[in-house]
Amino acid sequence: DAKTTQPTSMDCAEGRAANLPCNHSTISGNEYVYWYRQIHSQGPQYIIHGLKNNETNEMASLIITEDRKSSTLILPHATLRDTAVYYCIAQNRDDKIIFGKGTRLHILP
Amino acid sequence: NAGVMQNPRHLVRRRGQEARLRCSPMKGHSHVYWYRQLPEEGLKFMVYLQKENIIDESGMPKERFSAEFPKEGPSILRIQQVVRGDSAAYFCASSVGTGSFTAFFGQGTRLTVV
């Protein structure tokens, strides 16, 4: 699986868009970019995934650069409940998830 | 459609006892994954199972830990002769399987060894 690099922590004001970056410069052609988050003490929650194209769902948007070496998860209107650790993972669809350290996102009131 | 169900949510065991953690995957899911999270640490992969088959157990400790996913019933993570260092949150996830790794996680079992 391709290794990903994320900032250790980020702050975002409530109501603003939270943009979480992820570098995956060694990603291979058949590896997807997945995002999960873990709210304190809860089980991880799937957010979104993509291969090449940008993706959007009810939770977030995923922007993948054309060379696929990096991506950004966008939470359009962050709320206090979005405070969590966010994990960016690059992997084959048939494989297990290997979690890194993630980004600890603090939403500030 | 119920999500991934784990029980018990909290489990207390004395050193040397056995711990059995159960995981019922989402309906229609045939793949199960177990992860361990020590206090203030990240999620560590333990084992990946299909029905009646272990696919990948590269993250399982060599001794005292075992996992199964029988044809009928929940997946079981079994820890024999527990020690204090086994105290952690154990999370189970399930997915449809081949061709799709959108995994859904349970709320975890918090094991405390006293």
Side-chain angles (χ1 to χ4, degrees):
Chain A
D1 293 339
K3 185 180 170 75
T4 61
T5 305
Q6 299 178 251
T8 302
S9 66
M10 293 182 63
D11 293 338
C12 178
E14 189 177 17
R16 305 297 293 269
N19 296 281
L20 291 87
C22 179
N23 287 319
H24 31 79
S25 58
T26 60
I27 195 168
S28 62
N30 59 348
E31 288 181 324
Y32 286 69
V33 178
Y34 285 83
W35 284 83
Y36 285 79
R37 73 180 181 183
Q38 186 177 26
I39 296 170
H40 180 63
S41 298
Q42 297 183 21
Q45 177 186 24
Y46 165 80
I47 301 173
I48 198 167
H49 74 280
L51 183 62
K52 295 180 184 177
N53 300 322
N54 298 337
E55 302 287 344
T56 295
N57 63 22
E58 65 279 3
M59 288 183 68
S61 294
L62 174 60
I63 309 298
I64 303 174
T65 57
E66 195 168 337
D67 64 7
R68 301 209 327 121
K69 291 185 177 182
S70 66
S71 60
T72 301
L73 178 75
I74 301 172
L75 307 178
H77 305 288
T79 71
L80 296 177
R81 288 177 294 180
D82 293 320
T83 292
V85 179
Y86 287 76
Y87 297 97
C88 169
I89 300 145
Q91 66 168 86
N92 295 317
R93 289 201 303 179
D94 294 349
D95 207 353
K96 59 190 181 286
I97 303 172
I98 300 297
F99 290 92
K101 295 188 187 303
T103 295
R104 192 171 293 274
L105 177 66
H106 297 102
I107 305 300
L108 306 174
Chain B
N1 186 13
V4 177
M5 303 300 293
Q6 289 190 248
N7 66 84
R9 292 292 305 277
H10 299 274
L11 182 62
V12 179
R13 284 287 178 266
R14 296 187 184 280
R15 281 177 293 171
Q17 290 185 319
E18 178 179 286
R20 279 184 176 240
L21 288 63
R22 288 177 290 278
C23 170
S24 295
M26 285 182 68
K27 186 176 181 181
H29 286 193
S30 59
H31 291 226
V32 165
Y33 313 80
W34 286 93
Y35 290 80
R36 176 166 66 174
Q37 188 168 36
L38 295 169
E40 304 303 321
E41 294 193 12
L43 292 144
K44 301 296 184 187
F45 166 77
M46 299 182 75
V47 63
Y48 166 20
L49 310 106
Q50 278 181 292
K51 291 268 187 188
E52 300 183 283
N53 195 17
I54 296 175
I55 305 298
D56 182 344
E57 56 182 347
S58 58
M60 286 280 269
K62 293 287 186 280
E63 297 178 350
R64 301 187 298 107
F65 285 72
S66 63
E68 63 176 6
F69 188 17
K71 187 176 180 181
E72 302 291 337
S75 175
I76 306 287
L77 179 68
R78 183 180 176 208
I79 311 172
Q80 294 178 289
Q81 299 176 309
V82 296
V83 301
R84 289 227 171 103
D86 297 331
S87 295
Y90 292 83
F91 293 99
C92 166
S94 73
S95 74
V96 169
T98 302
S100 174
F101 197 82
T102 300
F104 297 88
F105 284 78
Q107 289 305 302
T109 293
R110 275 143 190 86
L111 173 65
T112 303
V113 179
V114 296

